[in-house]
């Protein structure tokens, strides 16, 4: 191996190692049970550098005794979910999100469909299309896309909550309750979902009593 080739290889390897270091440090900091500030900073770093492989460790922080750490874990998870690893796909994804915000649902469906065709393993492309289908009242299509999300990202409490919302619209409260509880199993900090679970529990109890 010539000196020129070795120098070229080192030029490639060193930036990768340097980029990995903050993530590795953050993952270690996340395990520091004595320092909530360190855990908060770790999650801010992981929001920008974390990968899907880090989700189990980030998800554990959803049960941290420190509220700011729990909120940081939620934010970090959404940031990780929203990165495809492909700059062109990420730009297209941003366009789709903007179309959603502008109420251009048919355009958003086309955009997220294009993302799914190009990068089917990117779970958040499926999740965003599921959301648009829900907004359009296309509940069966939304359910199908939620299934695809969960195949790729079992930590996606947003999609699990989405199932619950869909099953409410389909007048299947028992199924809705099941998925809301699954969402809380992943993220116990979802106050709106907790309220929905209480309401559904009460409604189902009343229904059983009335049927006796």
């Amino acid at each position: 191996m010539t000196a020129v080739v070795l120098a070229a290889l080192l030029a490639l390897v060193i930036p990768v190692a340097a980029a990995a270091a903050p993530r590795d440090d953050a993952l270690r900091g996340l395990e520091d049970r004595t320092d909530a500030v360190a855990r908060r900073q770790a999650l801010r770093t992981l929001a920008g550098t974390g990968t899907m492989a880090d989700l189990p460790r980030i998800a554990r922080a959803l049960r941290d005794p420190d509220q700011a750490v729990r909120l940081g874990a939620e934010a970090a998870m959404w940031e990780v979910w929203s990165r495809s690893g492909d700059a062109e796909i990420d730009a297209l994804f941003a366009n789709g999100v903007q179309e959603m915000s502008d109420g251009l649902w048919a355009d958003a469906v086309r955009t997220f469909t294009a993302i799914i065709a190009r990068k089917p393993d990117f779970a958040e492309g499926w999740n965003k299309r599921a959301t648009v289908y829900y907004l359009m009242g296309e509940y069966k299509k939304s359910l199908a896309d939620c299934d695809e999300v969960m195949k790729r990202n079992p930590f996606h409490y947003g999609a699990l909550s989405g199932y619950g919302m869909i099953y409410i619209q389909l007048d299947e409260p028992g199924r809705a309750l099941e998925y809301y509880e699954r969402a809380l199993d992943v993220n116990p900090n979802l106050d709106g979902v907790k309220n929905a679970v209480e309401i559904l529990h009460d409604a189902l109890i009343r229904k059983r009593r009335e049927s006796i």
Side-chain angles (χ1 to χ4, degrees):
M1 182 180 293
T2 68
V4 172
V5 172
L6 180 60
L9 288 173
L10 287 174
L12 291 172
V13 171
I14 290 173
V16 171
R23 171 176 166 261
D24 293 341
D25 290 344
L27 289 169
R28 284 190 290 271
L30 194 57
E31 302 303 323
D32 186 345
R33 308 317 304 165
T34 65
D35 190 345
V37 174
R39 298 196 299 278
R40 294 175 204 165
Q41 180 56 53
L43 287 163
R44 284 193 287 271
T45 300
L46 289 169
T49 64
T51 70
M52 294 292 285
D54 302 327
L55 286 178
R57 297 169 75 173
I58 297 173
R60 286 200 293 271
L62 294 169
R63 288 172 165 77
D64 196 277
D66 183 82
Q67 182 182 28
V69 171
R70 297 195 300 271
L71 292 172
E74 288 187 0
M77 291 176 84
W78 281 104
E79 289 292 328
V80 171
W81 294 344
S82 297
R83 286 196 295 273
S84 71
D86 181 315
E88 290 186 7
I89 295 294
D90 288 346
L92 195 57
F93 181 80
N95 289 341
V97 171
Q98 186 60 55
E99 288 163 350
M100 284 178 62
S101 297
D102 293 341
L104 302 173
W105 295 337
D107 291 341
V109 165
R110 282 191 289 271
T111 299
F112 294 125
T113 299
I115 290 170
I116 289 165
R118 291 175 59 181
K119 201 171 183 69
D121 288 340
F122 180 38
E124 199 57 26
W126 294 96
N127 184 59
K128 288 296 187 287
R129 194 174 72 173
T131 302
V132 180
Y133 278 143
Y134 174 83
L135 293 171
M136 297 172 71
E138 297 276 3
Y139 301 128
K140 295 295 186 181
K141 290 181 179 180
S142 187
L143 282 175
D145 278 1
C146 286
D147 290 344
E148 297 297 334
V149 177
M150 300 312 299
K151 290 175 186 176
R152 295 161 175 80
N153 182 5
F155 293 95
H156 207 305
Y157 57 83
L160 290 168
S161 301
Y163 278 110
M165 295 168 63
I166 295 165
Y167 281 119
I168 289 292
Q169 296 298 325
L170 294 175
D171 195 24
E172 296 187 46
R175 297 296 302 278
L177 179 60
E178 172 192 342
Y179 280 101
Y180 280 146
E181 289 178 335
R182 285 178 60 183
L184 291 174
D185 284 343
V186 177
N187 183 359
N189 309 296
L190 304 171
D191 290 338
V193 174
K194 289 178 186 177
N195 292 336
V197 165
E198 290 180 9
I199 291 169
L200 286 169
H201 266 303
D202 292 344
L204 288 170
I205 288 171
R206 284 196 304 272
K207 187 174 181 179
R208 291 192 194 104
R209 286 174 178 169
E210 290 168 358
S211 66
I212 295 173

